[in-house]
Amino acid sequence: MAELRTEEEQLEAIKRWWKDNGTSLIAGVAIAAAGVFGWNAWQNYQDNRAEAASIRYQELVNLTASNSNDDAMLAQARELVTEINDEYDGTLYAELAQLLDARLAVQQQDLEGATRALEQVVDNSSRLYVQSLARLRLARLAIARDEPQEALDLLDQSIVDSLAAQRDDLRGDAHFAP
């Protein structure tokens, strides 16, 4: 019998329901819309940040591609590495820039600076492959400093399987070193 209401009763029931639930319904829709807008804005920010980091890293790669020992180029490249690390810390590009910074330090005969850059990568990277690359390069530096035992200790740490051949090659170099 409740189904047989008149139009006025049905309209009155809808008005009562809207009075009881309208504010909550509007608030729910507004919160959902704000959530979708916020998520899209965050995704756009992340995409733009990644694109900007990629562009800056490509500039660094282009700058260092010549393997030149030109002091002005090396200074500019190391400045760019610092900028990438400051602005895009925690990204893969920042980690790769640190690896390049270590190479630049070696070019300038700054083995301590190279070691610091590589140790930062090992300590701060969440990517096992990048950490492994840094450990291999640290082992090379240890061999260059005539510290083969330090190199062997580094090579005993976690290194991804795809770099096993390089690890074994360096292990041989460490055993052969005086």
Side-chain angles (χ1 to χ4, degrees):
M1 292 197 195
E3 299 169 13
L4 302 176
R5 294 182 181 168
T6 65
E7 278 186 34
E8 288 179 11
E9 289 176 336
Q10 289 176 354
L11 185 59
E12 187 62 34
I14 290 172
K15 286 180 181 179
R16 261 193 324 268
W17 181 88
W18 182 254
K19 184 179 178 183
D20 293 341
N21 301 310
T23 305
S24 299
L25 182 65
I26 290 172
V29 168
I31 290 171
V36 168
F37 175 77
W39 178 254
N40 287 337
W42 175 252
Q43 290 298 317
N44 287 337
Y45 168 76
Q46 292 289 79
D47 290 344
N48 290 339
R49 185 171 184 249
E51 184 178 346
S54 172
I55 290 169
R56 297 303 284 166
Y57 180 74
Q58 188 59 49
E59 289 174 18
L60 177 63
V61 169
N62 291 341
L63 188 61
T64 61
S66 67
N67 284 330
S68 152
N69 279 335
D70 175 29
D71 288 338
M73 182 280 300
L74 290 172
Q76 184 181 1
R78 294 194 85 185
E79 220 173 272
L80 191 52
V81 167
T82 302
E83 180 185 326
I84 291 170
N85 280 311
D86 290 345
E87 292 183 26
Y88 308 106
D89 187 40
T91 65
L92 177 61
Y93 295 109
E95 294 169 5
L96 294 175
Q98 285 182 300
L99 291 175
L100 262 173
D101 188 39
R103 189 190 90 197
L104 296 172
V106 169
Q107 279 181 252
Q108 292 179 313
Q109 305 300 315
D110 180 12
L111 298 184
E112 290 178 25
T115 300
R116 278 192 306 275
L118 293 170
E119 286 174 346
Q120 280 184 325
V121 173
V122 169
D123 293 341
N124 299 329
S125 178
S126 61
R127 296 163 183 88
L128 187 56
Y129 187 85
V130 175
Q131 286 179 335
S132 298
L133 279 174
R135 282 193 184 103
L136 291 173
R137 292 177 184 182
L138 280 168
R140 283 190 187 103
L141 288 174
I143 292 169
R145 290 188 316 261
D146 293 326
E147 297 173 355
Q149 187 55 50
E150 182 182 338
L152 290 171
D153 292 342
L154 283 163
L155 296 171
D156 286 339
Q157 294 179 20
S158 179
I159 294 180
V160 293
D161 291 339
S162 58
L163 296 173
Q166 290 181 24
R167 178 190 59 216
D168 294 341
D169 187 42
L170 282 171
R171 189 171 277 136
D173 290 347
H175 284 294
F176 186 70

